[in-house]
């Protein structure tokens, strides 16, 4: 093999990393910088230097990464040496050494591996037996964390006394470890811990190791760091590949400080950074770097984009979580429609900080008919029909596995009830024996159980014991007669009538379940063939003076392979279904993956960074990882209110003003130039204009203009609309004629549906496209069909205003008043010789207002400004009323200067400019009040703008009733009863509320 050939397709930084002669080498590889390719080439280069493959350890974090690396090395070398490497996950490598040398530290041969379900079941029984108040899941997590940090005992309080919780936890830990030992089981953390014990006490087990290579080094914990050092104790030749900026597994006890710890342990370490990014566009990369560089404690390094700049990332603000989900759907549809088949749904991912955020998004995707898949769903090996077969194999291989035996003891039914099973488990735990030992004694009549056993139950136990013993006998036969794993599975299926049981239990779904069982048989057969050809060779080199135990049990190795398999869900695509699907995943599960288009919703404080997060820097790294999953288009969004209706604040990671030039406030305009740049980034052929035109014609809008940029045009309307929907239980529309709002029209954007953004908070129960198409010109203009009294009041007010306006205009025209002398000047003559209330009270007269424009001109200007606007009382200025026209206007002249404050009952409909807000406007009622009105007192005057109460637009201060018939104050909001849609007091004329008029005693002058 020519070493120079390995370097031909590498950039200079990668070449330096691959061909370095340093004993300890740290390769800092940012996202998309070719990390796996570099590590694979480094392994092949070491082999080309003369190192033997069985003397090289390559540790990864997932089974998928290990298989991919083995395939790549096989393509580079081409002579089968990749199968001789000690390559796999940390846990699989540790299991291999324990299987060969575990007897040196007292580990029995053929030990089993307790998965998460087994561990939790054991802890649940312990907590129930001792009546512990500690939660079993919390206890299991704490036990795992203690082992991952290599803690020997629980911390005590400063006084030295343990709390009740600490005492319970210590007892739980002790009994848990005893239960594992009785069943000859090791949990996942024990695999690493016991391997560390083995290599510390017997370092000669790894005396042959010449090189150690570690992938994803930033995700290692303390125990894995110690394991790496012990592997390399003989030659101290270590190569690590990782990126501290992508350390996001602190909840698994991952230590981002391990890199600095390595520099202290190995001061001669050579560090090489891979700074060329082959994944993301320049704009996405620039934004991601700007965020991660907010952490001053990080290792300083940079990234250079190899692609063009592309479109800027989007940071979209939406009214609420419902709107956010709808917006994601519309942008997915727009990405598909505007690119003419350049991308499909498989190219789109929605990455969430918490899995709980997926509910609204899944609902919106389902309503729009968009297929999606959840990453991290139910594992293939966790499906009921598969797990049951695996439990049978585990019991046959290791009968002392209590929980596996408890799960199959009555599956299929052997007339053994759950109460009996629990009682037998409890009896075995108290006797410090395994469940298998107890059952075997009952069947052989060598042990008298305290649990009451019926004849039918004893018969069922006998059949189970016979089947297990028969299978074990077949496994222990001579090599030429030994049963294979595939034949053993078929033996179990035959003895249990498994297919018939599935049909009886699952009904119509039994065929799909049975197909899964057949898939398990296929996997077992494939694994058997790999072992036979040596591809899955787990032998270790012979060490002089060190005895190894044989590991020829294929069943044990198959079960260990299943237990250590990655937690990736089996999707429909894996089963041959061609349907394209949007991927919904947590950010943690998306680590190491990439998509052309990525959505990151809920980027607000409390979501990211999470409200329960302890390490803010890790939360920032989490956002960095999510952003760098995107290749061409990156969308981020946050709602003004979350799904619980709580106000939100933008994530502090995205809030700095310096980031504003790097982001767009709405989705990019996917024109021809943008589509061409996306095709170049993805290295795909650009679609034809005809295909783009065809797919574009199906879109509701070619721009991201269906939702307001600022979340909502009027923030007050958002809350009132949201409250209205929840009070009436009528999401999706408001009843009665609704006056449309003004919209800000942006000249550089097409507005295909001007009312789309003004709709209510919560979506109606139809798809987004259907709902948008339901808006017609008729619904925008409104009709006079009254649905409730509130809508009736609005229309009556509008009609009253129109009537008054027409009357005033006719009066002006009939008197042929000159244009330079407005009709409102008549007021002075009409009131000549008549004293006013201000004169009566001895107060100076208010200054005369400047002339006002004619009503017709004002209405005409208003119509020109907003052709969709209805004529409302707050839309124009009116002249002061003429006392001679009280029959028309209906307002007493003594109340001409009286105004009341705003009422909380009405919602604003239309904005006024500042000049209009300062003028004296009046509301013309359709009829005068029915009762006489006492004169206005000085203390009754309400200020125009009450402090603390605002209205935008200021319509409410202008709507008033006559005198004290309806008295509304700020303190009464929310407590008064409703009449005609306005919150007012119903007993305004009661004696306790009406003060008798007491004339002033002031003498008139003169």
């Amino acid at each position: 093999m020519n070493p120079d050939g390995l370097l031909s397709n590498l950039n200079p930084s990668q070449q330096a990393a691959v061909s370095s002669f340093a004993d300890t080498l740290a390769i800092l590889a940012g996202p998309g910088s070719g990390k796996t390719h570099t590590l694979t080439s480094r392994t092949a280069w070491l082999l080309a230097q003369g190192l033997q493959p069985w003397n090289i350890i390559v540790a990864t974090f997932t089974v998928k990464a290990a298989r991919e690396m083995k395939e790549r090395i096989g393509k580079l070398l081409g002579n089968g040496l990749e199968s001789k490497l000690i390559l796999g996950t940390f846990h699989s490598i540790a299991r291999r050494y324990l299987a060969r040398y575990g007897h040196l530290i007292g580990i029995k041969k053929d030990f089993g591996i307790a998965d998460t379900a087994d561990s939790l079941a054991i802890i649940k029984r312990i907590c129930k037996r001792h009546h512990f108040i500690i939660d079993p899941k919390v206890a299991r997590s704490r036990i795992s964390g203690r082992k991952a940090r290599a803690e020997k005992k629980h911390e005590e309080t400063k006084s030295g006394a343990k709390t009740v919780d600490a005492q319970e936890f210590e007892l739980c830990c002790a009994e848990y470890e005893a239960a594992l030992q009785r069943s000859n089981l090791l949990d996942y953390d024990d695999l690493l811990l016991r391997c560390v014990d083995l290599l510390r006490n017997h370092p000669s087990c790894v005396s042959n190791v010449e090189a150690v290579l570690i992938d994803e080094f930033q995700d290692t914990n303390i125990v894995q760091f110690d394991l790496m050092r012990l592997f390399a104790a003989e030659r101290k030749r270590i190569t690590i590949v990782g990126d501290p900026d992508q350390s996001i597994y602190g909840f698994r006890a991952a230590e981002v400080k391990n890199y600095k710890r390595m520099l202290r342990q190995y001061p001669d370490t050579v560090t090489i950074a891979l700074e060329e990014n082959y994944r993301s566009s320049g704009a996405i990369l620039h934004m991601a770097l700007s965020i991660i560089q907010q952490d001053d404690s990080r290792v300083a390094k940079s990234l250079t984009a190899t692609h063009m700049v592309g479109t800027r990332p989007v940071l979209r603000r939406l009214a609420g979580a419902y709107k956010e989900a709808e917006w994601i759907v519309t942008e997915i549809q727009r990405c598909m429609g505007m690119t003419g088949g350049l991308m499909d749904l498989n190219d789109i991912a929605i990455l969430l900080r918490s899995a709980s955020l997926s509910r609204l998004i899944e609902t919106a995707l389902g309503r729009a008919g968009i297929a999606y898949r959840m990453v991290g769903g139910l594992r293939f090996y966790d499906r009921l029909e598969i797990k049951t077969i695996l439990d049978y194999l585990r019991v046959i291989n290791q009968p002392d596995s209590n929980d596996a035996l408890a799960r199959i003891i009555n599956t299929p039914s052997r007339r053994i009830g759950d109460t009996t099973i629990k009682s037998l488990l409890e009896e075995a735990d108290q006797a410090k024996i395994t469940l298998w030992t107890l059952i075997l004694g009952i069947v052989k009549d060598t042990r008298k159980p305290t649990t009451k056993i019926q004849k039918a139950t004893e018969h069922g136990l006998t059949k189970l014991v016979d089947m297990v013993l028969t299978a074990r006998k077949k496994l222990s036969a001579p090599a030429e007669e030994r049963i294979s794993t595939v034949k053993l599975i078929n033996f179990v299926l035959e003895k249990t009538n498994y297919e018939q049981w599935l049909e009886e239990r699952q009904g119509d779904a039994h065929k799909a379940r049975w197909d899964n069982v057949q898939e398990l048989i296929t996997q077992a057969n494939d694994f058997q063939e790999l072992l036979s050809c040596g591809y899955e060779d787990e032998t270790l080199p012979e060490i002089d003076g060190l005895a190894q135990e044989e590991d020829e049990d294929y069943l044990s190795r198959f079960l260990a392979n299943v237990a250590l398999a990655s937690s990736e869900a089996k999707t429909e695509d894996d089963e041959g279904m061609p349907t394209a699907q949007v991927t919904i995943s947590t950010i943690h599960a998306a680590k190491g993956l990439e998509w052309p288009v990525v959505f990151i919703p809920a980027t607000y404080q409390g979501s990211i960074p999470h409200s329960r997060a302890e390490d803010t820097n890790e939360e920032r790294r989490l956002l960095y990882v999510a952003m760098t999953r995107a290749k061409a288009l990156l969308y981020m969004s946050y709602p003004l209110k979350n799904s619980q209706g709580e106000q939100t604040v933008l994530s502090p990671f995205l809030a700095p003003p310096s980031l504003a030039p790097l982001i767009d406030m709405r989705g990019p305009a996917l024109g021809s130039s943008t589509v061409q740049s996306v095709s170049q980034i993805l290295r795909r052929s650009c679609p034809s204009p005809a295909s783009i035109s065809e797919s574009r014609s199906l879109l509701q809008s070619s721009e991201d203009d269906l939702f307001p940029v600022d979340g909502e045009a009027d923030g007050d309307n958002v809350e009132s609309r949201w409250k209205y929907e929840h009070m009436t239980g009528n999401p999706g529309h408001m009843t009665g004629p609704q006056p449309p709002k003004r919209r800000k029209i942006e000249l550089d954007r097409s507005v295909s549906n001007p009312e789309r953004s003004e709709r209510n908070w919560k979506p109606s129960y139809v798809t987004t496209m259907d709902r948008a198409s339901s808006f017609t010109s008729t619904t925008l203009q409104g009709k006079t069909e009254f649905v409730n009294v509130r809508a009736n009041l609005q229309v009556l007010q509008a009609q009253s205003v129109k009537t008054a306006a027409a009357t005033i205009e006719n009066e002006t025209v009939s008197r042929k008043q000159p244009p330079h002398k407005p009709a409102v000047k008549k007021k002075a003559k009409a009131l000549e010789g008549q004293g006013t209330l201000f004169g009566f009270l001895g107060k100076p007269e208010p200054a005369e207002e400047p002339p006002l424009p004619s009503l017709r001109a004002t209405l005409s200007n208003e119509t020109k400004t907003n052709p969709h606007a209805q004529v409302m009382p707050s839309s124009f200025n009116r002249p002061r009323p003429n006392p001679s026209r009280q029959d028309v206007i209906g307002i007493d002249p003594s109340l001409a200067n009286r105004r009341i404050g705003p009422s909380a009952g009405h919602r604003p409909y239309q904005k006024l400019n500042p000049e209009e807000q300062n003028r004296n406007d009046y509301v013309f009622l359709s009829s005068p009040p029915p009762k006489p009105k006492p004169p206005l007192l000085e203390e009754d005057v309400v200020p125009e703008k009450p402090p603390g109460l605002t209205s935008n637009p200021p319509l409410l201060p202008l709507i008033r009733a006559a005198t004290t018939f309806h008295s509304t104050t700020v303190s009464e909001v929310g407590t008064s009863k409703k009449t005609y849609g306005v919150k007012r007091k119903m007993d305004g004329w009661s004696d306790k509320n009406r003060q008798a008029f007491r004339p002033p005693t002031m003498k008139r002058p003169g």
Side-chain angles (χ1 to χ4, degrees):
M1 180 179 57
N2 182 13
D4 295 335
L6 297 172
L7 308 178
S8 60
N9 57 346
L10 302 175
N11 64 42
S13 298
Q14 293 172 337
Q15 290 178 2
V18 169
S19 60
S20 174
F21 286 93
D23 284 339
T24 52
L25 175 65
I27 304 174
L28 301 185
S33 60
K35 168 184 64 67
T36 304
H37 183 44
T38 303
L39 184 60
T40 301
S41 301
R42 173 71 173 174
T43 305
W45 187 85
L46 290 174
L47 290 172
Q49 300 304 310
L51 275 64
Q52 300 300 321
W54 49 83
N55 294 334
I56 298 177
I57 294 178
V58 183
T60 66
F61 270 82
T62 64
V63 175
K64 179 181 178 181
R67 290 174 179 170
E68 181 181 356
M69 188 171 296
K70 181 177 288 188
E71 291 175 359
R72 290 192 182 190
I73 294 174
K75 292 178 181 179
L76 289 175
L77 301 180
N79 51 11
L81 291 179
E82 72 278 2
S83 62
K84 301 296 182 182
L85 288 167
I86 306 177
L87 189 154
T89 64
F90 270 102
H91 293 88
S92 65
I93 294 174
R95 193 210 71 85
R96 186 186 302 190
Y97 275 93
L98 291 175
R100 296 289 182 174
Y101 300 111
H103 63 279
L104 299 176
I105 56 174
I107 296 179
K108 299 178 182 178
K109 184 181 178 181
D110 297 332
F111 62 86
I113 299 175
D115 59 17
T116 303
D118 294 330
S119 299
L120 185 59
I122 294 172
I123 294 174
K124 282 182 177 179
R125 289 200 304 274
I126 295 172
C127 293
K128 184 177 181 180
R129 181 165 61 250
H130 295 283
H131 304 287
F132 289 159
I133 60 174
I134 188 172
D135 183 78
K137 292 184 178 180
V138 174
R140 192 192 68 81
S141 178
R142 290 176 61 182
I143 291 173
S144 179
R146 171 193 285 194
K147 291 182 178 181
R149 289 184 290 269
E151 297 176 0
K152 296 302 181 182
K153 63 179 182 178
H154 191 63
E155 294 183 1
E156 297 182 359
T157 59
K158 294 182 179 180
S159 62
K162 293 182 179 179
T163 63
V164 174
D165 178 77
Q167 293 176 1
E168 288 187 356
F169 179 66
E170 289 299 323
L171 181 57
C172 183
C173 283
E175 294 213 12
Y176 172 72
E177 295 300 330
L180 290 179
Q181 188 174 7
R182 285 196 301 271
S183 300
N184 194 22
L185 296 174
L186 298 178
D187 62 20
Y188 293 136
D189 299 298
D190 286 334
L191 291 174
L192 303 181
L193 281 175
R194 298 311 302 273
C195 190
V196 168
D197 293 340
L198 171 66
L199 300 183
R200 280 177 177 169
N201 295 323
H202 302 276
S204 57
C205 295
V206 289
S207 59
N208 64 298
V209 176
E210 297 178 304
V212 176
L213 297 93
I214 308 295
D215 189 20
E216 303 287 5
F217 183 74
Q218 76 278 354
D219 295 331
T220 55
N221 57 33
I222 295 296
V223 176
Q224 289 164 336
F225 181 82
D226 290 341
L227 201 55
M228 176 198 73
R229 294 184 58 223
L230 291 170
F231 282 150
E234 186 71 20
R235 303 290 195 281
K236 293 184 174 58
R237 184 176 293 158
I238 302 173
T239 298
I240 66 158
V241 180
D243 182 12
D245 289 339
Q246 298 186 70
S247 179
I248 60 175
Y249 294 109
F251 64 96
R252 297 181 186 172
E255 284 283 348
V256 68
K257 298 179 181 178
N258 275 351
Y259 170 68
K260 295 182 179 180
R261 187 176 287 114
M262 179 179 177
L263 297 182
R264 291 195 300 268
Q265 295 282 348
Y266 304 95
D268 296 331
T269 299
V270 174
T271 298
I272 298 177
L274 307 183
E275 297 184 339
E276 293 188 40
N277 180 279
Y278 295 94
R279 176 187 299 159
S280 304
S281 67
I284 294 175
L285 205 59
H286 190 189
M287 178 68 177
L289 282 174
S290 299
I291 288 177
I292 197 62
Q293 288 170 354
Q294 298 170 4
D295 182 7
D296 297 333
S297 63
R298 65 184 285 270
V299 179
K301 58 185 179 63
S302 184
L303 280 176
T304 303
T306 59
H307 294 299
M308 62 179 59
V309 175
T311 62
R312 291 184 295 184
V314 176
L315 179 59
R316 197 66 155 83
R317 180 166 61 176
L318 284 308
Y322 296 96
K323 292 292 185 184
E324 183 181 38
E326 286 187 7
W327 171 77
I328 290 175
V329 169
T330 58
E331 279 302 290
I332 290 175
Q333 293 170 337
R334 200 168 69 89
C335 287
M336 302 284 293
M338 295 297 293
T339 55
L342 177 63
M343 298 181 292
D344 60 17
L345 295 179
N346 290 328
D347 295 324
I348 300 174
I350 303 172
L351 305 184
L352 310 173
R353 173 59 182 90
S354 304
S356 59
L357 296 171
S358 70
R359 180 179 62 86
L360 295 178
I361 296 175
E362 288 186 69
T363 301
L365 290 173
R367 287 174 178 167
I370 297 177
Y372 65 91
R373 59 168 168 259
M374 294 291 298
V375 173
L378 189 64
R379 292 193 315 160
F380 174 75
Y381 297 116
D382 285 339
R383 297 176 180 178
L384 175 64
E385 64 277 9
I386 301 301
K387 192 169 183 61
T388 302
I389 298 299
L390 292 176
D391 282 335
Y392 270 102
L393 298 181
R394 292 175 64 188
V395 170
I396 293 171
N397 181 65
Q398 183 56 260
D400 290 330
S401 180
N402 278 8
D403 294 283
L405 178 57
R407 286 192 291 265
I408 67 166
I409 197 172
N410 196 44
T411 306
S413 176
R414 297 184 177 89
R415 303 177 67 85
I416 306 173
D418 292 341
T419 303
T420 302
I421 296 173
K422 293 178 181 179
S423 180
L424 291 173
L425 274 171
E426 186 67 22
E427 182 178 347
D429 286 341
Q430 291 180 351
K432 305 299 181 183
I433 59 175
T434 64
L435 179 60
W436 172 257
T437 302
L438 176 61
I439 292 176
L440 195 61
I442 294 173
V443 171
K444 293 184 176 181
D445 202 21
T446 60
R447 187 179 187 91
K448 189 67 175 178
T450 58
T451 302
K452 185 176 182 181
I453 304 295
Q454 302 291 340
K455 286 293 184 181
T457 301
E458 186 174 352
H459 179 69
L461 292 175
T462 302
K463 292 179 62 176
L464 176 63
V465 169
D466 288 343
M467 186 187 72
V468 173
L469 292 178
T470 302
R472 287 181 61 80
K473 185 177 180 181
K474 293 178 179 292
L475 285 176
S476 59
E480 62 275 6
E481 299 177 5
R482 189 173 305 165
I483 190 173
S484 66
T485 304
V486 174
K487 291 182 178 180
L488 182 61
I489 294 176
N490 288 322
F491 171 79
V492 171
L493 296 177
E494 179 184 351
K495 289 294 184 180
T496 58
N497 293 323
Y498 202 67
E499 185 176 10
Q500 180 182 349
W501 175 75
L502 282 178
E503 185 174 358
E504 295 173 354
R505 183 181 178 90
Q506 301 297 330
D508 295 337
H510 83 279
K511 291 184 179 180
R513 303 281 188 177
W514 183 251
D515 289 342
N516 290 334
V517 174
Q518 298 303 312
E519 174 66 18
L520 178 65
I521 295 175
T522 301
Q523 291 189 16
N525 186 62
D526 293 343
F527 187 78
Q528 188 86 19
E529 292 179 356
L530 291 175
L531 293 179
S532 301
C533 68
Y535 188 78
E536 293 287 342
D537 186 9
E538 291 190 353
T539 59
L540 296 174
E542 295 288 341
I543 306 296
D544 294 339
L546 200 60
Q548 288 189 19
E549 288 189 344
E550 295 295 330
D551 190 16
E552 299 296 335
D553 188 353
Y554 290 169
L555 177 60
S556 296
R557 294 175 62 178
F558 173 73
L559 293 174
N561 184 72
V562 169
L564 298 174
S566 61
S567 60
E568 49 195 87
K570 191 173 184 62
T571 64
E572 295 300 318
D573 281 346
D574 295 335
E575 298 176 358
M577 297 297 291
T579 305
Q581 298 170 311
V582 172
T583 299
I584 302 178
S585 171
T586 62
I587 301 176
H588 288 98
K591 176 76 162 48
L593 304 177
E594 59 185 30
W595 294 270
V597 183
V598 168
F599 289 84
I600 309 175
T603 55
Y604 55 81
Q605 177 78 38
S607 174
I608 183 163
H610 199 274
S611 57
R612 295 193 299 270
E614 298 179 357
D615 188 349
T616 303
N617 289 332
E618 180 168 318
E619 293 293 300
R620 183 184 291 106
R621 294 193 293 268
L622 197 61
L623 179 59
Y624 174 74
V625 168
M627 296 175 67
T628 53
R629 301 308 97 194
K631 294 182 178 181
L633 298 176
L634 173 61
Y635 292 87
M636 296 174 288
S637 60
Y638 72 101
L640 297 179
K641 289 187 177 182
N642 60 21
S643 58
Q644 286 77 38
E646 301 168 341
Q647 294 285 350
T648 64
V649 178
L650 178 63
S651 170
F653 307 145
L654 299 170
S658 60
L659 298 179
L662 307 180
I663 57 179
D664 278 333
M665 299 305 293
R666 63 171 66 194
L670 297 172
S672 58
S673 59
T674 302
V675 174
Q676 186 175 5
S677 68
V678 170
S679 66
Q680 293 179 4
I681 292 172
L682 301 181
R683 294 183 175 87
R684 300 175 183 176
S685 59
C686 189
S688 64
S691 62
I692 294 178
S693 178
E694 181 181 357
S695 61
R696 180 177 178 176
S697 64
L698 302 176
L699 294 176
Q700 180 185 3
S701 175
S702 60
E703 299 283 344
D704 180 14
D705 56 10
L706 301 182
F707 299 85
V709 177
D710 58 352
E712 188 70 24
D714 189 345
D716 294 336
N717 286 348
V718 175
E719 183 175 1
S720 62
R721 189 181 302 121
W722 185 84
K723 289 181 179 179
Y724 174 86
E725 292 164 9
H726 283 266
M727 286 189 298
T728 61
N730 183 23
H733 64 278
M734 301 283 280
T735 57
Q738 298 297 317
K741 304 175 186 175
R742 289 182 180 177
R743 278 185 56 110
K744 178 182 178 182
I745 305 300
E746 299 187 36
L747 298 180
D748 60 337
R749 297 278 179 173
S750 66
V751 184
S752 61
N753 192 343
E755 286 303 310
R756 177 66 175 83
S757 62
E758 309 302 334
R759 291 165 53 223
N760 58 327
W761 186 296
K762 197 171 182 180
S764 58
Y765 298 100
V766 290
T767 63
T768 304
M769 304 298 288
D770 292 339
R771 291 165 49 213
S773 63
S774 66
F775 284 89
T776 63
S777 59
T778 303
T779 59
L780 291 177
Q781 294 172 1
K783 294 184 178 181
T784 57
E785 179 182 357
F786 304 130
V787 181
N788 55 24
V789 294
R790 178 168 170 270
N792 194 357
L793 177 62
Q794 295 172 2
V795 177
L796 287 177
Q797 288 174 340
Q799 293 175 348
S800 175
V801 171
K802 291 179 181 178
T803 303
T807 304
I808 294 174
E809 188 66 19
N810 292 335
E811 181 73 17
T812 304
V813 173
S814 64
R815 298 186 181 187
K816 299 182 180 180
Q817 203 167 10
H820 64 276
K821 190 176 183 180
V824 74
K825 294 293 185 178
K826 295 278 183 181
K827 173 192 173 186
K829 293 183 178 181
L831 298 178
E832 186 177 359
Q834 177 181 337
T836 63
L837 185 61
F838 287 93
F840 183 78
L841 296 176
K843 291 183 176 291
E845 291 286 339
E848 186 68 19
E849 289 188 352
L852 299 177
S854 66
L855 182 61
R856 182 178 297 276
T858 306
L859 294 176
S860 176
N861 293 334
E862 179 68 16
T863 306
K864 291 179 180 179
T865 304
N866 186 359
H868 295 287
Q870 294 182 5
V871 179
M872 296 300 292
S874 63
S875 302
F876 48 84
N877 294 291
R878 289 169 291 279
R880 296 185 181 276
N882 191 328
S884 64
R885 302 295 301 170
Q886 291 186 32
D887 56 330
V888 177
I889 301 176
I891 296 183
D892 193 284
S894 64
L895 304 177
N897 294 319
R898 168 89 190 267
R899 301 179 67 186
I900 66 172
S903 170
H906 281 293
R907 294 189 301 162
Y909 288 103
Q910 205 163 1
K911 293 186 178 180
L912 298 177
N913 58 47
E915 295 180 0
E916 293 174 333
Q917 293 183 29
N918 296 327
R919 297 173 182 170
N920 292 326
D921 295 349
Y922 298 94
V923 172
F924 301 93
L925 301 182
S926 58
S927 60
K931 291 193 176 184
K933 303 164 281 296
L936 176 68
L937 299 181
E938 181 178 350
E939 58 268 24
D940 290 337
V941 178
V942 182
E944 292 190 11
K945 294 184 178 180
L949 185 65
T950 61
S951 177
N952 186 23
L955 173 62
L956 299 184
L958 309 179
I959 299 177
R960 56 179 289 274
T963 68
T964 58
F965 175 59
H966 291 134
S967 60
T968 304
T969 63
V970 177
S971 61
E972 294 168 356
V973 174
T975 60
S976 57
K977 298 182 180 180
K978 278 191 175 181
T979 61
Y980 270 70
V982 183
K983 296 182 178 179
R984 297 168 178 168
K985 294 180 62 177
M986 299 297 295
D987 54 352
W989 277 96
S990 63
D991 292 337
K992 63 179 180 180
N993 290 322
R994 182 162 58 100
Q995 295 182 356
F997 174 70
R998 286 174 291 184
T1001 59
M1002 182 185 300
K1003 295 182 179 180
R1004 295 178 62 87

